[in-house]
Amino acid sequence: MAREKRRQELYVTVPSLFRCPISMDLMNSPVSLCTGVTYDRSSIEKWLALGHNTCPATMQTLLSTHTTPNLTLRRLIQLWLSHADVTQASPTSCISKQQAAEIVVAGEFDADSLEKVIGFLTASKENLNFFVAQSSAAVSKLVEVFANSDQIRICELIVEILDLISPENGVAERLADLILQSGDGGDCLSSLAMVLQKGNIKSKVKSAKILEMIAVIKPQSHRKIAEKPGLLYELYILSTVEIDTSAVEASLSALIAISTTRLVKKELIRFGTVRTIGEILSGSDYSAPVRGVVEKALAMLETIATCTEGRGAICEDGKCVVEIVKRLMKCSGVATEHGITVLWSVCCLARDRVAQEKVRLVNGLTKVLLVMQSDCSANAKQMCGELVKVLGAKNSKSNLAPYETRTTHITPY
């Protein structure tokens, strides 16, 4: 009996490369998506069966749901298993369930104990489930320490733990409530702002994801998040990190989720978000990791373009309109529809002549025609039709001037 109890408390730390990004368990049959990310076959097939058309790890829209067996990784896993001792684990790499529970109950978190908890959570899906089963006590303790700590390392580690447990059933809602309710003697939003300002890039990305999660679950939180001193600005600054596309994408995703009021949009415009997005679009290539950034950048512009000040800022910027036209049908269908919406906002809704002329000068009319004949949504086709009328109105010398929306063929440019 004692031997069995001891066996249950010992774990092998599975290399992160061998764990499925969805289940966090060792992959039995690793397969890769078109994005290059590898998952366990059973996990990704369940994800796709639910109707998802995105890569779970990167949230990129999938051009194809076909999976390819990753034979090299499978051989590496088999080789590792043949040499791994599955009954023992290094005492420094993982702790037992009892030790994890004791750390949570004590609630006296220091860097060492938090690192042990992270090692415990990442060791296996079973460990994560065990920890989440105590979520009522564990999450409350973690949020309390996070709200009251002024030590950046402690806050970074807690952010990592919260990011690990938040996808589990019911934890995100509980976590959002606790973070928004904090304030007596501590403030979680201020701690998140501190991590965004002083933390390492990994913890900044996780902080942005937590803020996005809160904004999605609790729409009433948007004003509170936006009004927290420094928080919105630090999120914007994260979008300017050129060396890390994951940071830019996480920042833009969070800003899109928060930017539901005109006040927030005006503040982002004041920071220089339109200019920053213009630089992102002009500097991005079309590789898989960058596609997500381009999609989010255009979605952010679409959000900003819903207010008068936003449309004005886009029209005044020297790069945005031109770069949007260049991105049409070059990245993804989602990005193209975001781009069409922005162009419609400035050329048709705002009737800005400068923007209209910029679109014409970069062959925008032809590209809009091509988009209209692609497999885009009905709303996008309608906006394309209105753009054609506006852009072709002063192009009397062009044979495209009398174009009708019923046309069925356009010569590619």
Side-chain angles (χ1 to χ4, degrees), residues 7 11 51-52 57 66 79 109 115 162 166 205 228 235 241 287 296 300 318 328 338 346 348 363 382:
R7 187 188 69 79
Y11 302 88
H52 297 294
H66 178 72
L79 182 64
F109 298 114
E115 287 173 353
L162 297 181
S166 61
V205 170
K228 178 57 58 178
L235 265 180
V241 181
S287 60
K296 291 297 187 298
M300 185 76 254
L328 294 179
H338 288 316
V346 297
C348 299
N363 204 25
Q382 183 176 347

Side-chain angles (χ1 to χ4, degrees), residues 30 146 168 184 202 218 232 243 247 269-270 292 351 355 375:
F146 184 65
E168 300 303 307
D184 297 333
K202 180 180 177 182
K218 303 287 183 181
L232 198 63
I243 60 173
I269 294 166
R270 185 177 68 83
R351 293 281 176 175
D375 186 23

Side-chain angles (χ1 to χ4, degrees), residues 334-349:
V334 173
T336 295
E337 295 205 12
H338 288 316
I340 287 294
T341 304
V342 178
L343 292 178
W344 176 86
S345 297
V346 297
C347 294
C348 299
L349 186 60

Side-chain angles (χ1 to χ4, degrees), residues 22-316:
I22 297 176
S23 68
M24 299 305 294
D25 288 334
L26 181 69
M27 288 184 280
N28 294 316
S29 179
V31 295
S32 300
L33 291 176
C34 60
T35 58
V37 181
T38 299
Y39 303 90
D40 189 62
R41 183 183 295 277
S42 62
S43 296
I44 193 59
E45 285 181 350
K46 288 179 183 178
W47 171 266
L48 296 173
L50 291 173
H52 297 294
N53 67 338
T54 56
C55 174
T58 65
M59 295 313 294
Q60 295 171 234
T61 301
L62 296 174
L63 300 178
S64 169
T65 57
H66 178 72
T67 58
T68 304
N70 191 328
L71 300 179
T72 300
L73 185 57
R74 184 176 181 179
R75 285 194 293 270
L76 289 173
I77 292 174
Q78 291 173 341
L79 182 64
W80 176 78
L81 284 172
S82 67
H83 290 84
D85 184 349
V86 297
T87 64
Q88 294 185 2
S90 169
T92 59
S93 64
C94 189
I95 57 177
S96 68
K97 291 180 179 179
Q98 181 180 351
Q99 290 171 316
E102 289 173 353
I103 290 174
V104 171
V105 171
E108 297 178 358
F109 298 114
D110 55 21
D112 182 60
S113 64
L114 290 170
E115 287 173 353
K116 289 179 179 178
V117 169
I118 292 172
F120 175 79
L121 294 175
T122 55
S124 71
K125 180 67 173 178
E126 180 185 353
N127 290 1
L128 186 60
N129 290 336
F130 170 80
F131 189 86
V132 169
Q134 305 183 53
S135 62
S136 180
V139 175
S140 297
K141 291 276 187 181
L142 286 166
V143 170
E144 180 182 353
V145 174
F146 184 65
N148 289 279
S149 179
D150 58 359
Q151 299 181 48
I152 185 62
R153 183 55 183 160
I154 297 296
C155 289
E156 285 180 333
L157 292 170
I158 292 178
V159 161
E160 185 167 354
I161 293 173
L162 297 181
D163 180 70
L164 284 169
I165 65 176
S166 61
E168 300 303 307
N169 187 34
V171 176
E173 291 78 4
R174 171 70 172 158
L175 179 58
D177 285 333
L178 288 169
I179 289 177
L180 294 174
Q181 290 169 7
S182 65
D184 297 333
D187 184 354
C188 283
L189 292 181
S190 293
S191 295
L192 285 169
M194 179 178 73
V195 175
L196 285 168
Q197 181 182 28
K198 301 178 181 179
N200 57 46
I201 195 67
K202 180 180 177 182
S203 61
K204 288 182 178 182
V205 170
K206 294 182 184 300
S207 295
K209 290 181 178 179
I210 289 173
L211 285 167
E212 181 186 4
M213 174 199 71
I214 296 172
V216 171
I217 294 174
K218 303 287 183 181
Q220 66 272 25
S221 68
H222 298 179
R223 180 175 291 275
K224 188 172 184 178
I225 293 174
E227 291 178 349
K228 178 57 58 178
L231 187 53
L232 198 63
Y233 180 72
E234 292 302 334
L235 265 180
Y236 158 70
I237 289 297
L238 187 60
S239 70
T240 65
V241 181
E242 298 179 1
I243 60 173
D244 196 305
T245 56
S246 64
V248 177
E249 188 169 355
S251 168
L252 292 173
S253 292
L255 289 173
I256 291 167
I258 297 167
S259 303
T260 56
T261 67
R262 186 173 183 176
L263 180 65
V264 175
K265 295 168 190 174
K266 289 174 66 176
E267 193 71 357
L268 290 175
I269 294 166
R270 185 177 68 83
F271 292 156
T273 301
V274 173
R275 181 185 66 255
T276 297
I277 292 177
E279 293 171 354
I280 290 173
L281 295 176
S282 65
S284 297
D285 57 29
Y286 303 109
S287 60
V290 178
R291 288 178 185 172
V293 174
V294 173
E295 287 182 3
K296 291 297 187 298
L298 290 170
M300 185 76 254
L301 278 182
E302 181 180 341
T303 298
I304 289 176
T306 57
C307 69
T308 304
E309 294 83 358
R311 292 190 290 272
I314 293 170
C315 293
E316 292 172 5

